[in-house]
């Protein structure tokens, strides 16, 4: 039987589970992706307000684009991942950020959740009216590359950042 997975909007009803998700990731000392998960959530009402306000371009700094965050929740209530969906691209996102940034909590990797979160995120980008989306990964991240390819990604190019890191840029037609 396939496990029930659902992208949910951040909500106070998920407070305890989200804190467990956040703390596991912080304690792992790994880089947290997407970046919004790295924002401290202990004042949960303020954190939820921050996430909601990021959809409104008039409230954002000039170099930011509107974006939405969702959490991937299993049928048992456990939050296993998070995704940040950019509603459009600016120059920087076109090079190295893409439309979709997602991450799976350390203890839940290698279980197919990344493929599921990206697939469900593509549905959200369709709802925004996008016809194709850019998804990127570091060249060394073969797990992420496989996830993008499973979801229809077509490699356009590699981009080398100033520090020498190579970012692979994939487009997915919706």
């Amino acid at each position: 039987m396939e496990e029930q997975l659902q992208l949910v909007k951040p909500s106070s009803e998920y407070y305890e589970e989200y804190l467990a998700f956040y703390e596991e990731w912080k304690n792992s000392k790994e880089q947290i992706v997407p970046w919004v998960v790295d924002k401290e959530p202990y004042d949960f009402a303020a954190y939820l307000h921050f996430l909601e306000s990021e959809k409104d371009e008039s409230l954002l700094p000039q170099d930011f684009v509107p974006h939405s965050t969702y959490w991937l929740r299993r049928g048992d209530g456990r939050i296993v991942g998070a995704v940040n969906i950019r509603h459009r691209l600016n120059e920087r996102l076109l090079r190295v950020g893409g439309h979709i940034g997602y991450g799976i909590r350390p203890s839940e990797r290698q279980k197919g959740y990344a493929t599921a979160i990206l697939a469900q995120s593509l549905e959200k980008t369709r709802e925004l009216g996008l016809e194709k989306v850019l998804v990127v990964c570091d060249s060394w991240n073969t797990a992420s590359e496989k996830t993008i390819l499973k979801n229809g990604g077509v490699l356009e190019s590699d981009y080398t950042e100033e520090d020498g890191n190579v970012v692979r840029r994939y487009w997915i037609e919706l």
Side-chain angles (χ1 to χ4, degrees):
M1 180 169 118
E2 190 173 311
E3 185 172 30
Q4 182 183 3
L5 296 169
Q6 181 181 19
L7 280 185
V8 296
K9 290 181 180 180
S11 167
S12 59
E13 71 183 282
Y14 309 126
Y15 172 73
E16 288 183 23
E17 180 51 38
Y18 186 78
L19 283 185
F21 169 81
Y22 169 80
E23 288 175 351
E24 176 184 322
W25 215 327
K26 281 303 247 191
N27 291 335
S28 77
K29 306 282 193 250
E30 294 181 19
Q31 179 183 3
I32 297 176
V33 178
W35 68 275
V36 292
V37 176
D38 202 21
K39 187 168 176 58
E40 192 173 279
Y42 296 112
D43 180 344
F44 208 61
Y47 181 63
L48 294 176
H49 177 73
F50 162 77
L51 293 176
E52 188 61 31
S53 70
E54 295 292 292
K55 298 175 189 174
D56 184 346
E57 188 153 13
S58 69
L59 301 174
L60 298 174
Q62 187 174 0
D63 56 343
F64 274 63
V65 301
H67 55 95
S68 302
T69 299
Y70 297 91
W71 299 333
L72 185 65
R73 191 168 176 260
R74 278 195 322 218
D76 65 0
R78 184 172 175 88
I79 294 174
V80 296
V83 62
N84 183 253
I85 299 172
R86 292 80 177 210
H87 300 185
R88 63 178 173 78
L89 299 178
N90 60 20
E91 197 173 308
R92 182 185 170 285
L93 292 172
L94 184 59
R95 286 191 313 270
V96 297
H99 286 97
I100 300 172
Y102 57 88
I104 303 300
R105 82 192 285 170
S107 66
E108 297 293 347
R109 294 187 186 142
Q110 304 298 315
K111 298 178 182 179
Y113 295 138
T115 299
I117 201 170
L118 181 53
Q120 290 189 31
S121 298
L122 293 172
E123 292 300 320
K124 297 293 184 188
T125 60
R126 276 189 190 93
E127 292 169 12
L128 290 171
L130 299 176
E131 295 178 6
K132 67 179 186 173
V133 297
L134 178 66
V135 185
V136 304
C137 67
D138 292 329
S139 62
W140 55 263
N141 191 340
T142 56
S144 189
E145 185 173 32
K146 287 177 185 176
T147 295
I148 295 167
L149 291 170
K150 284 180 190 174
N151 277 281
V154 176
L155 180 65
E156 179 184 80
S157 65
D158 289 346
Y159 178 84
T160 303
E161 297 178 287
E162 286 183 19
D163 65 0
N165 184 54
V166 177
V167 176
R168 308 213 77 194
R169 301 173 62 256
Y170 293 87
W171 287 96
I172 300 175
E173 297 282 336
L174 301 176

